[in-house]
Amino acid sequence: MQPADVLAELVGDVQPIDSKQLRKELSRVWDDGPQDRVRLSTMNLVMVVTEPSELKGIGEDLNLLCEHYPARVFVAVLDHEATGEEVSAWYSSCARGTQVFNEQVTFYLPGDCDRQLPSLLAPLYRMDQPVFLWWRGKPGFHEKIWERMIDNADRIVVDTSTERGLLEPLQKQVRDPYHQELAFSDLEWTRQSRWRNLLAGLYDRPGAPEHLKKVTRLEIGFVPGPTGALSAPFYMAGWLASKLGWKVETPYANGKATFRSANGRAVEFALINEEGPDVLHNRLLYVRLDASPLGCCYGVYRKPDNPRVYVSQISGEVEEHTATSAPSGYVAVSTLRKSAPKTEENDFFMPFAERQNLIAAELEVYARQPLFEAALASAADLLGAAVAK
Amino acid sequence: MQPQAGPAIYELAEANLLPSSFAMVGLSRTKMSEEDFRKRVTPDGVESHTNWQNLVKNFTYLDGNYDDPATYARLKARLDELDASVGTAGNRLYYLAVPPEAFSVIADQLAAAGMHKPGKDGKWARLIVEKPFGHDLESAVKLNQELQRDFDESQIYRIDHYLGKETVQNIMTLRFANGIFEPLWNRRYIDNIQITAAETLGVGDRAGYYNQSGALRDMLQNHLMQILALVAMECPISNAADDIRDEKGKVCRALRHYKPLEVDENAVRGQYGPGFVDGQKVPGFFEEPKIPADSRTETFAAARIFVDNWRWHDVPFYLRSGKRLARKVTEVALTFKKVPHRIFDFGAGDLEPNVLLLKIDPEEGISLRFGTKMPGLTEQIRWVNMDFQYGTSFARPSPLAYERLIHDCMVGDPTLFTRADSIEACWRAFDPILKRWADPASGAVPQYEAGSSGPREAETWMEDQGRYWRKL
């Protein structure tokens, strides 16, 4: 069986079409079909896959996704290892009643046929609808077609957990003046949104933001994966640094770095590599912020016996509000005072994010995300400086 | 013979819009039998149609040199014969689908043979001329003078097939038959207007002609300027041809003329290199036959045009056209100004402007882009299109551009034809760009990959103005 045939099996219920006459073929598909069908579409979704086996089950995933985000979908399989000079293409669609919400063209591009891809896609995009480019696997920053592909895109979604050292090239892409109109994002950043929410939630209590100004140490526990990617802990450090105004003073090396806060205080950063089961590879185990002069510590941990349960913890002498009752007509006054040393814990259940939930979150975002970009810049500073050194 | 003319005449016949007595005489330097000529003008698939067979039997052919009086004597004799045999009764439509240098030669010869004058009893003689109408201001003025030496301006029909397209004609209907658009159609509400005609084809077998012409002459100065005039003109006092052409003429006269160095800030060009189009590898401009290695001819041109009048003061009109681009599309996009005060927290992104899009080719229709609240508990805004498509709203297909134009010429309606004054006014605005680009001091011509959106320089040029091209 030819690789392209294997691919057709993986893609699912599809019909082969002539890639040289795609537009005509697509018209024919519609002209020959039932006349009461309506195409739904809010975007063009291009998914680039560099490993054909990743296609298994992708048809089902895309159908679920497109039920909420109707799209014209293009799946492009770049098989650099294969030999061949012919692009193969298949068509499939998925409908609810008469409404077609996923109209999909799958391309198989062996060898260097990937050069043809941008020119095959351009005339097929639904004009005036945004183009989401989801590059699965190792992002193709160095691929010849990368610039041409992003030329026509509005949103670029990559995943830096797939290889070590991708934060810096991603940062270069984001900062490229030619990419001002492009909104980049990283699934690895999106995977951590729950961590960020929980950590930020710890500081919602009165008086707690003051502790943020006195943080002296950031410690992140992390289970490295086989790819060696470090983007998860560095996004976390980058996010905190960018939000709290920390600048890199001593770049990352041997698990350590130092930031300098806006008020001149040194903040020590420690990345602790931990052992963990496969399911935790490339994932954070804990994030902990110490404000040692105050003797208190804020952190979010995975529960050792159930990594899907997170514990948010505040320990040490915590400043607390004490409200005094006020007579009628007077304003109640609350005062802050230090509590006795104690530990507060709350448990939160959070399942691992499914791939389709992650990409669904990305499809909600159309514009550039300053929060992400600032975190990426700080993370790249921290790592880039380390590499340079 | 213009390749589109055969199908246009067939469609007119099918729509019963041809006079019952209609005949056509082909004339060129090529020796050809009448049978071959008839085959040549017969559209694909209609050879056996009875209507076409009845029509084509009145098509005849002559060969001869354009500058030979004997040719015109034979032509006159043939036309007189047809008057008698077919009953064409003296009406004459001379369609010059010939190289531009032959225009005035033929006009002079027709005049010398006395064939240019309208006949008695309302019989008419009209001349259709295909572009290019000159290659610069000087040659355009000269051509107009030469044609007007023999024919009255009212007899001259300068054909621009873009004006025959349904959506182009619909620009006036949209503007002046609807109350909601015209109040917004001005500098107060419109930020910029982009008129794009992108092609995926290369210069191919037109390389010899194209190398003398270039994208600016071939597309911007005529087709795109005609569209611009329809978009920018004031409401005419009536639908009469000269009332409309007067208003279009005023737009052309109001075009800003650039000084040589201003051209660099207001126009950008490019030449395509090799690449992929529709998945096929295609050669670069310099790999095409008949293109000299030192050619400075642009295959991509974009210009910022200003119409210096009250309505359009400081509103840029961006004209863009090129060969071997990512997709074939012709459209007019009116981008409105953004809201002055933002009350919605829409993530980090800017609120997008509204865009009214007039789709000319390959889709024909109109769409309006606007923001709408996404269903749900959030305040997220999504940008959606309200679409009108000719193909889905009307069962009847749009007539071919040439069908409409040839018909209009036969009934004597010059509305969709370009008048001499407008042609010259357009050349006045474009001449400085041509001159500047011809000057080696203007620098090397930027290159772009075939199948892309054009040269990178065009993107940065636009970004430097705080705007973006619409994606191709």
Side-chain angles (χ1 to χ4, degrees):
Chain A
M1 202 182 263
Q2 295 298 307
D5 299 327
V6 176
L7 203 67
E9 276 195 2
L10 289 171
V11 173
D13 185 18
V14 294
Q15 54 175 304
I17 51 176
D18 183 348
S19 63
K20 287 183 184 138
Q21 297 197 49
L22 268 168
R23 270 170 295 174
K24 282 185 187 165
E25 292 269 0
L26 287 183
S27 306
R28 186 181 57 76
V29 165
W30 279 84
D31 292 345
D32 295 350
Q35 296 303 305
D36 60 346
R37 289 184 304 175
V38 179
R39 280 166 155 150
L40 304 185
S41 178
T42 57
M43 65 182 70
N44 300 282
L45 175 60
V46 182
M47 188 176 84
V48 176
V49 179
T50 50
E51 176 51 59
S53 63
E54 276 195 36
L55 278 182
K56 198 160 191 177
I58 202 75
E60 195 58 30
D61 279 4
L62 285 170
N63 284 342
L64 287 171
L65 197 65
C66 291
E67 212 166 339
H68 299 284
Y69 304 92
R72 180 173 281 189
V73 179
F74 303 96
V75 178
V77 184
L78 313 185
D79 192 351
H80 291 307
E81 302 303 316
T83 52
E85 294 172 356
E86 276 290 313
V87 177
S88 314
W90 298 270
Y91 176 82
S92 61
S93 62
C94 193
R96 186 198 307 109
T98 57
Q99 298 180 319
V100 175
F101 54 82
N102 174 8
E103 189 185 16
Q104 184 175 321
V105 181
T106 304
F107 296 98
Y108 175 69
L109 303 112
D112 65 358
C113 286
D114 60 346
R115 294 178 302 164
Q116 302 176 33
L117 181 59
S119 74
L120 287 167
L121 293 175
L124 300 177
Y125 288 141
R126 285 188 73 106
M127 289 191 82
D128 274 319
Q129 292 192 348
V131 176
F132 280 69
L133 172 61
W134 175 19
W135 196 293
R136 289 182 48 143
K138 184 187 165 192
F141 302 139
H142 306 297
E143 299 268 359
K144 282 181 197 162
I145 61 162
W146 174 260
E147 279 298 323
R148 285 289 317 282
M149 289 293 290
I150 65 174
D151 234 10
N152 268 319
D154 299 276
R155 285 273 286 115
I156 315 289
V157 182
V158 296
D159 187 353
T160 57
S161 72
T162 50
E163 196 174 86
R164 193 183 176 103
L166 292 174
L167 285 181
E168 279 188 295
L170 176 59
Q171 163 69 351
K172 276 186 189 157
Q173 292 285 326
V174 171
R175 292 183 58 178
D176 189 326
Y178 287 128
H179 299 163
Q180 280 178 42
E181 251 199 315
L182 286 174
F184 282 85
S185 63
D186 185 350
L187 290 181
E188 190 64 338
W189 164 263
T190 311
R191 278 189 192 100
Q192 290 176 28
S193 45
R194 187 70 169 148
W195 282 92
R196 292 192 293 273
N197 286 341
L198 287 176
L199 203 57
L202 287 174
Y203 291 89
D204 279 345
R205 58 171 52 219
E210 278 302 304
H211 294 175
L212 282 172
K213 296 178 187 163
K214 293 166 185 168
V215 171
T216 52
R217 179 179 165 85
L218 162 65
E219 186 177 309
I220 297 177
F222 174 68
V223 182
T227 63
L230 290 175
S231 38
F234 278 84
Y235 269 133
M236 180 54 70
W239 172 62
L240 287 164
S242 61
K243 293 298 287 180
L244 300 174
W246 304 343
K247 302 287 176 211
V248 176
E249 184 171 86
T250 313
Y252 178 77
N254 303 321
K256 288 183 179 169
T258 314
F259 292 104
R260 182 67 63 181
S261 71
N263 57 13
R265 184 174 26 84
V267 180
E268 186 187 333
F269 167 56
L271 175 60
I272 311 296
N273 286 337
E274 305 268 6
E275 295 288 320
D278 288 0
V279 73
L280 288 180
H281 281 170
N282 277 336
R283 293 183 192 270
L284 303 180
L285 276 188
Y286 64 87
V287 180
R288 177 190 154 115
L289 290 157
D290 288 314
S292 54
L294 302 172
C296 64
C297 170
Y298 291 68
V300 177
Y301 303 79
R302 281 186 202 275
K303 226 170 187 174
D305 56 343
N306 186 349
R308 288 175 177 78
V309 175
Y310 288 47
V311 181
S312 70
Q313 187 185 72
I314 304 172
S315 59
E317 295 175 343
V318 182
E319 286 177 325
E320 288 182 331
H321 273 265
T322 308
T324 54
S325 60
S328 171
Y330 289 82
V331 177
V333 176
S334 71
T335 54
L336 274 174
R337 67 182 181 86
K338 267 192 177 177
S339 72
K342 62 175 184 179
T343 298
E344 284 181 20
E345 285 192 353
N346 286 300
D347 288 3
F348 300 90
F349 179 73
M350 187 178 69
F352 292 131
E354 296 287 339
R355 190 173 54 200
Q356 73 201 50
N357 292 340
L358 287 173
I359 194 70
E362 296 294 347
L363 297 183
E364 292 280 347
V365 180
Y366 278 47
R368 292 182 75 135
Q369 305 170 78
L371 195 69
F372 159 69
E373 291 183 14
L376 173 64
S378 291
D381 274 355
L382 197 56
L383 263 172
V387 172
K389 198 177 175 185
Chain B
M1 184 72 187
Q2 219 291 337
Q4 297 294 321
I9 286 168
Y10 169 75
E11 293 295 338
L12 285 171
E14 284 293 295
N16 287 324
L17 290 171
L18 281 186
S20 54
S21 46
F22 178 86
M24 181 158 70
V25 180
L27 170 66
S28 84
R29 288 171 295 199
T30 312
K31 289 206 180 299
M32 189 177 355
S33 69
E34 285 196 339
E35 201 49 45
D36 285 346
F37 172 68
R38 287 172 183 156
K39 276 186 193 159
R40 203 163 164 171
V41 296
T42 300
D44 290 341
V46 305
E47 298 85 352
S48 56
H49 290 197
T50 313
N51 283 355
W52 181 253
Q53 285 175 343
N54 288 336
L55 190 67
V56 84
K57 69 182 184 207
N58 295 329
F59 290 10
T60 64
Y61 181 78
L62 294 173
D63 60 77
N65 287 329
Y66 299 137
D67 56 356
D68 181 0
T71 302
Y72 298 88
R74 286 190 292 130
L75 176 62
K76 188 168 188 300
R78 179 68 58 90
L79 289 170
D80 289 344
E81 278 169 37
L82 288 166
D83 279 346
S85 61
V86 182
T88 42
N91 289 328
R92 303 280 187 262
L93 194 166
Y94 304 111
Y95 193 132
L96 306 193
V98 295
E101 56 274 14
F103 289 166
S104 51
V105 175
I106 295 172
D108 285 348
Q109 291 293 342
L110 287 170
M115 300 166 74
H116 64 306
K117 288 185 182 161
K120 291 175 184 167
D121 305 327
K123 305 294 182 243
W124 45 263
R126 295 178 188 135
L127 186 72
I128 291 185
V129 188
E130 290 253 10
K131 69 153 194 167
F133 311 123
H135 56 269
D136 57 12
L137 175 61
E138 192 184 343
S139 60
V141 170
K142 183 166 173 279
L143 175 64
N144 283 334
Q145 286 169 348
E146 287 169 352
L147 293 177
Q148 288 166 348
R149 186 171 62 204
D150 304 314
F151 287 81
D152 185 78
E153 176 63 22
S154 64
Q155 293 177 280
I156 303 170
Y157 288 68
R158 295 172 191 82
I159 201 165
D160 184 327
H161 72 274
Y162 266 61
L163 294 179
K165 290 176 184 283
E166 201 70 61
T167 324
V168 174
Q169 293 165 45
N170 195 36
I171 293 172
M172 275 191 25
T173 312
L174 178 81
R175 292 186 59 192
F176 306 130
N178 294 288
I180 61 169
F181 297 112
E182 202 50 23
L184 308 176
W185 209 272
N186 56 55
R187 64 184 301 272
R188 288 185 66 187
Y189 300 102
I190 292 181
D191 178 79
N192 74 88
I193 296 174
Q194 295 186 22
I195 304 177
T196 299
E199 296 179 76
T200 53
L201 295 174
V203 297
D205 53 12
R206 290 177 73 220
Y209 158 76
Y210 199 87
N211 191 47
Q212 301 299 317
S213 168
L216 195 81
R217 285 189 178 96
D218 194 44
M219 296 297 293
L220 269 67
Q221 183 275 337
N222 41 64
H223 298 318
L224 301 196
M225 264 312 304
Q226 287 303 313
I227 295 174
L228 185 152
L230 283 170
V231 171
M233 73 184 198
E234 298 297 322
C235 183
I237 57 168
S238 82
N239 200 23
D242 269 333
D243 290 336
I244 294 169
R245 299 204 296 179
D246 284 348
E247 294 304 336
K248 285 171 63 183
K250 284 182 200 167
V251 172
C252 299
R253 293 210 308 275
L255 297 175
R256 189 176 298 175
H257 301 172
Y258 295 123
K259 296 183 177 70
L261 289 180
E262 288 174 339
V263 168
D264 297 347
E265 295 163 17
N266 290 289
V268 63
R269 61 190 155 158
Q271 293 172 323
Y272 63 83
F276 288 88
V277 172
D278 281 336
Q280 306 298 308
K281 192 163 175 31
V282 294
F285 181 56
F286 289 103
E287 294 160 298
E288 303 272 14
K290 298 185 190 169
I291 299 298
D294 60 350
S295 172
R296 293 176 62 78
T297 303
E298 76 286 352
T299 60
F300 174 98
R304 179 170 57 169
I305 303 293
F306 289 100
V307 178
D308 285 332
N309 63 15
W310 190 286
R311 184 191 283 259
W312 297 114
H313 180 74
D314 276 351
V315 176
F317 287 74
Y318 294 101
L319 308 189
R320 169 177 61 158
S321 181
K323 292 200 166 290
R324 289 282 189 231
L325 296 176
R327 71 190 290 166
K328 175 179 165 59
V329 62
T330 304
E331 63 176 32
V332 181
L334 293 93
T335 302
F336 289 83
K337 290 184 174 170
K338 292 180 184 173
V339 291
H341 173 62
R342 173 176 162 159
I343 61 166
F344 299 103
D345 180 18
F346 176 46
D350 221 350
L351 285 175
E352 290 183 25
N354 297 106
V355 177
L356 180 66
L357 183 66
L358 315 179
K359 296 185 262 191
I360 296 170
D361 192 40
E363 288 179 64
E364 291 187 302
I366 295 168
S367 81
L368 178 64
R369 186 164 178 78
F370 60 96
T372 189
K373 184 187 173 300
M374 269 186 73
L377 300 178
T378 69
E379 291 296 325
Q380 289 263 322
I381 296 171
R382 281 290 176 273
W383 297 88
V384 294
N385 296 319
M386 197 153 61
D387 266 326
F388 152 68
Q389 299 280 353
Y390 267 97
T392 53
S393 298
F394 297 105
R396 189 180 187 282
S398 298
L400 303 172
Y402 279 96
E403 178 186 348
R404 169 68 195 248
L405 293 168
I406 291 172
H407 170 264
D408 283 5
C409 183
M410 284 194 289
V411 299
D413 180 355
T415 309
L416 301 177
F417 296 84
T418 319
R419 219 166 50 186
D421 56 339
S422 291
I423 300 265
E424 291 173 19
C426 288
W427 275 120
R428 270 186 201 97
F430 281 85
D431 240 22
I433 304 178
L434 287 170
K435 287 198 171 88
R436 174 66 183 158
W437 283 359
D439 181 356
S442 63
V445 182
Q447 304 294 301
Y448 61 95
E449 189 183 341
S452 69
S453 302
R456 185 65 96 178
E457 286 79 354
E459 303 287 332
T460 48
W461 174 72
M462 200 63 157
E463 283 165 18
D464 289 347
Q465 298 169 52
R467 297 189 175 91
Y468 298 97
W469 288 113
R470 279 179 51 76
K471 283 195 162 63
L472 289 181

